[in-house]
Amino acid sequence: MPDIDLGLASDWQDGDWHGRVKLVQNRTYPTSPKKDVAVTSPNSIEIEINTDNSTSGEAKHVFFTAHVGSTKKVIAVLDWQGNLRIAGKLTTDQTNLGY
């Protein structure tokens, strides 16, 4: 399956500024021929959805990733039981969350 180009996603000036949906290597089973679905943005934030057909659910995760320089890092993982794991620290009581 080729990438699906979602068109212009923002006014980002560097590189590719189109959003995309694409298939990527499965993070839980890296040698598996099964792929994950990734929704990507021009700001280097990706959401990867594990599409494993497991009946027990242990491999069902949503990965939130970002690029730091040329390195792709997982910043949060939501598992099949609703547990959210966040890399780094959690800052609470923020009042200015404007875009």
Side-chain angles (χ1 to χ4, degrees), residues 4 6-7 13 15 19 28 33-34 38 40 43 53 57 72-73 75 83 88 91 98:
I4 298 172
L6 300 176
Q13 298 300 314
T28 307
K34 294 181 180 179
T40 66
N43 296 343
N53 293 324
K72 185 173 173 179
K73 297 192 174 204
I75 55 176
N83 299 314
T91 305

Side-chain angles (χ1 to χ4, degrees), residues 21-41:
V21 175
K22 62 183 178 178
L23 295 178
V24 296
Q25 186 58 50
N26 185 295
R27 288 182 176 274
T28 307
Y29 302 111
T31 59
S32 171
K34 294 181 180 179
K35 303 290 183 184
D36 292 348
V37 175
V39 179
T40 66
S41 83

